[in-house]
Amino acid sequence: MDCLFCKIANHDLHATIVVENEDVIAFEDINKIAPVHVLVVPKKHLQNVAELDPEDTRLLSAIQTAIKYVVQTTGIEESGFRVTTNAGESAGQSVFHLHYHVIGGRNLNVALG
Ligand code: 5GP
Ligand code: ZN
């Protein structure tokens, strides 16, 4: 499968990695929209959050742990941040491998959508 984030997860493509373990990889977005813009990506290929199995507690926990690590180590836990995951082209998804944008370090617009 020709998937950009599978390639990054396999280290076939370079990324600036923030944290990584067996289940997830977090790396800096190539086109940052804020001082902190990190993508938290499960290594398992899933298209979007709707494909995530609620019973896959290990993966869910790994995702949450990575998000928490990112906000704590970048200093945005106190200043405020947003976690977003897009699903489908109409929602703005451009890479069809599940990922969570962790964004902070500036004032974010209040409105969603
Ligand atoms: P989406 O639009 O699917 O929600 O988010 C995809 C994100 O991946 C975008 O913010 C885009 O800047 C980022 N991105 C696209 N290609 C690359 C790449 O090769 N490396 C990194 N680090 N980020 C990428
Ligand atoms: Zn993939």
Side-chain angles (χ1 to χ4, degrees):
M1 199 192 336
D2 197 26
C3 171
L4 190 63
F5 289 175
C6 280
K7 285 181 189 160
I8 290 176
N10 290 329
H11 299 142
D12 290 333
L13 209 64
H14 176 266
T16 303
I17 295 168
V18 177
V19 68
E20 177 179 16
N21 63 26
E22 214 181 304
D23 298 309
V24 295
I25 183 166
F27 53 88
E28 293 193 9
D29 197 293
I30 206 167
N31 188 22
K32 287 183 179 207
I33 64 161
V36 176
H37 187 173
V38 174
L39 302 174
V40 171
V41 181
K43 290 190 173 177
K44 179 177 171 181
H45 182 91
L46 300 166
Q47 278 235 136
N48 61 49
V49 72
E51 285 193 355
L52 199 48
D53 185 348
E55 287 172 12
D56 197 348
T57 51
R58 176 174 145 163
L59 186 54
L60 285 164
S61 175
I63 291 166
Q64 177 56 24
T65 302
I67 291 170
K68 194 159 179 166
Y69 178 87
V70 170
V71 301
Q72 287 182 340
T73 56
T74 56
I76 59 173
E77 187 181 14
E78 291 78 23
S79 58
F81 61 92
R82 181 170 293 152
V83 179
T84 309
T85 185
N86 298 322
E89 263 174 62
S90 67
Q93 189 176 12
S94 60
V95 178
F96 293 89
H97 178 132
L98 174 62
H99 54 279
Y100 299 77
H101 298 260
V102 181
I103 299 161
R106 66 162 169 83
N107 267 332
L108 302 169
N109 293 333
V110 175
L112 285 177

